[in-house]
Amino acid sequence: NAGVMQNPRHLVRRRGQEARLRCSPMKGHSHVYWYRQLPEEGLKFMVYLQKENIIDESGMPKERFSAEFPKEGPSILRIQQVVRGDSAAYFCASSPVDNEQFFGPGTRLTVL
Amino acid sequence: AQSVTQLDSQVPVFEEAPVELRCNYSSSVSVYLFWYVQYPNQGLQLLLKYLSGSTLVKGINGFEAEFNKSQTSFHLRKPSVHISDTAEYFCAVSSGGSNYKLTFGKGTLLTVNP
């Protein structure tokens, strides 16, 4: 059973461009969480999704950030008009019905 | 609201020495507690978790942690560390129910020296 997949592993964008981060959960997992890790800080919760539904987006910035988890395909975290402060590692985690979350390797976003 | 405090940002130890990484939490509801390990440029791996039952929890790689409700602590211990244990360790809490989002501490960098 493959683990949580994230791509790309590294992403470089210039200010003002869009960033799309993808997360494929483990087989059989219908819950996806996104977290952001800023340099020398712990992970901060961003959004919790189930298939086709956003359950909790209390950690998402109000503007430029959006997330989806369609019926088919990976979960997408989209950042529009990126700024230097968006540079961070973005981690996706998936879980089955219970509460153990399995983390992907992360996408490291660098905004020039 | 929940919060997690990891009291030490860095812990240097010598190989084969014991180690304790401290974690305190605050929450107004019952919690589930976790310790994760992160190796450089990798994702997080679950070391152990406390959901209910025995307050002494054993995890992978010889780690264990004890849940102390009165002190709101969940300290991680290992009796004898190896060079390969060098990594960042994160304590996390969730309240369960229908939303298991994790609240993390800022992490403790454990460095094991020969």
Side-chain angles (χ1 to χ4, degrees):
Chain A
N1 188 8
V4 178
M5 311 277 284
Q6 288 189 251
N7 67 81
R9 293 291 307 275
H10 300 274
L11 181 62
V12 179
R13 286 288 178 265
R14 296 189 181 280
R15 282 179 295 169
Q17 291 184 319
E18 179 180 285
R20 281 185 180 239
L21 289 62
R22 296 175 184 77
C23 168
S24 296
M26 290 178 69
K27 187 177 181 180
H29 288 191
S30 58
H31 302 243
V32 166
Y33 300 79
W34 284 93
Y35 297 86
R36 176 165 65 174
Q37 184 178 32
L38 293 169
E40 301 187 10
E41 292 198 15
L43 281 72
K44 302 285 188 188
F45 167 78
M46 298 182 75
V47 62
Y48 164 37
L49 310 102
Q50 294 180 16
K51 285 283 187 181
E52 299 186 279
N53 286 303
I54 296 174
I55 307 302
D56 181 347
E57 55 182 348
S58 59
M60 287 277 270
K62 299 297 182 207
E63 299 178 348
R64 302 187 296 109
F65 285 72
S66 62
E68 63 176 7
F69 188 17
K71 186 176 181 181
E72 301 290 339
S75 175
I76 306 286
L77 179 67
R78 182 183 178 202
I79 311 172
Q80 294 178 290
Q81 300 174 343
V82 296
V83 301
R84 289 215 172 109
D86 297 332
S87 294
Y90 292 83
F91 290 94
C92 163
S94 73
S95 71
V97 177
D98 67 18
N99 60 16
E100 180 170 347
Q101 295 181 29
F102 296 81
F103 282 79
T107 294
R108 280 154 183 83
L109 171 66
T110 301
V111 179
L112 301 177
Chain B
Q2 300 168 324
S3 66
V4 176
T5 302
Q6 291 184 242
L7 296 162
D8 305 297
S9 60
Q10 297 186 46
V11 173
V13 295
F14 288 108
E15 194 174 16
E16 298 183 6
V19 71
E20 178 180 83
L21 305 183
R22 295 181 292 170
C23 172
N24 287 89
Y25 69 92
S26 66
S27 176
S28 57
V29 297
S30 296
V31 296
Y32 301 134
L33 293 156
F34 306 82
W35 275 99
Y36 285 86
V37 61
Q38 183 181 32
Y39 298 100
N41 296 317
Q42 294 189 26
L44 277 70
Q45 180 182 6
L46 182 67
L47 278 176
L48 48 78
K49 60 184 177 183
Y50 171 79
L51 304 180
S52 64
S54 173
T55 58
L56 183 62
V57 180
K58 294 190 182 297
I60 62 171
N61 301 341
F63 284 94
E64 64 179 34
E66 185 154 19
F67 170 57
N68 188 318
K69 189 175 181 179
S70 62
Q71 297 186 4
T72 60
S73 68
F74 190 55
H75 300 333
L76 181 71
R77 302 185 183 98
K78 186 170 182 177
S80 175
V81 294
H82 303 290
I83 299 284
S84 59
D85 292 323
T86 295
E88 188 94 30
Y89 292 79
F90 292 98
C91 180
V93 62
S94 78
S95 58
S98 59
N99 184 343
Y100 295 110
K101 66 182 180 183
L102 293 167
T103 300
F104 285 87
K106 290 191 174 183
T108 297
L109 177 60
L110 173 64
T111 302
V112 181
N113 299 301

